[in-house]
Amino acid sequence: MTATHGHAWPGRPKTGRLAVKRTIDVVGAAVLLLLLSPVLLVAAVAVKADSPGPVLFRQKRTGRHGREFEVLKLRTMHAGAEGMRAALGARNESDGHLFKIREDPRVTTIGRWLRRWSMDELPQLVNVLRGQMSLVGPRPLPVGDSAFTEEARSRLLVRPGLTGLWQIGGRSNLGWEEALRLDLEYVRAWSIRMDLSILVRTLPAVARGDGAY
């Protein structure tokens, strides 16, 4: 059973509006991949030269209706970083389902730069083209379906996004409760106009670098 059985997306958006959203996703992701391909190539070479390990980091995330998918990112941590997480648990500066350390020792030199400008997230444009993500939506989290309870399940009614209210509202500076509040606000009030507004506000938010670590 998926996480969203028994729930409905508030407002029940019409099929036409959802088709417009998907069209924006496909066209937008394709254009961005084309325009940013030189940047991605340079970043990939830098990741490979900076530390041993693969260029891409792949991790299972929970998507729409609780379906798991493999999210793509440029690797920003040293190889084997996932195995070091338990040892760093006491240093976690976040709460809930989030794990964040401002000066994370697992992050590589180039990784800090990539995170500062959110460039590590760019391979997720491929996830958007695959239909696993949207350009705008709640961020996909590395937790299973069963971790979402009560109201938190509502965030699984929509495709996770490359950007969203988290990204323009504080990024890693947000605690779980505040981040969840923004996710639920997005699900309740979603519109094409809201998506376009978030997309326009994302670049200035990235440029400010607030909460980028």
Side-chain angles (χ1 to χ4, degrees), residues 2-89:
T2 62
T4 54
H5 281 190
H7 296 257
W9 188 348
R12 296 182 180 180
K14 294 181 180 179
T15 302
R17 285 201 295 154
L18 293 178
V20 171
K21 180 177 176 67
R22 181 60 186 152
T23 299
I24 292 172
D25 284 343
V26 172
V27 174
V31 170
L32 285 172
L33 274 174
L34 181 63
L35 293 177
L36 296 173
S37 56
V39 176
L40 277 167
L41 179 60
V42 171
V45 171
V47 168
K48 195 66 178 177
D50 186 50
S51 65
V55 169
L56 289 178
F57 173 70
R58 303 168 185 266
Q59 187 180 55
K60 290 291 184 182
R61 298 287 176 100
T62 302
R64 189 182 183 194
H65 301 318
R67 299 188 186 97
E68 287 191 346
F69 69 99
E70 193 174 64
V71 75
L72 303 175
K73 300 179 70 174
L74 287 172
R75 181 174 57 83
T76 60
M77 291 186 175
H78 293 285
E82 288 292 287
M84 299 169 59
R85 176 167 169 167
L88 295 169

Side-chain angles (χ1 to χ4, degrees), residues 73-145:
K73 300 179 70 174
L74 287 172
R75 181 174 57 83
T76 60
M77 291 186 175
H78 293 285
E82 288 292 287
M84 299 169 59
R85 176 167 169 167
L88 295 169
R91 295 177 58 182
N92 186 19
E93 299 174 26
S94 191
D95 55 7
H97 297 304
L98 307 178
F99 184 86
K100 292 288 183 179
I101 302 175
R102 196 174 300 273
E103 297 295 333
D104 196 324
R106 301 173 298 168
V107 179
T108 64
T109 301
I110 190 65
R112 295 189 188 284
W113 189 82
L114 292 174
R115 288 183 173 207
R116 168 63 180 78
W117 299 103
S118 294
M119 291 177 61
D120 57 316
E121 311 286 358
L122 292 179
Q124 288 164 39
L125 290 167
V126 175
N127 290 119
V128 175
L129 289 177
R130 290 175 177 172
Q132 299 161 329
M133 292 179 62
S134 176
L135 289 177
V136 182
R139 286 296 296 160
L141 299 178
V143 295
D145 174 279

Side-chain angles (χ1 to χ4, degrees), residues 40 53 57 80 159 174 187-188 200:
L40 277 167
F57 173 70
R159 287 188 179 94
L174 300 178
V187 174
R188 284 193 296 265
V200 169

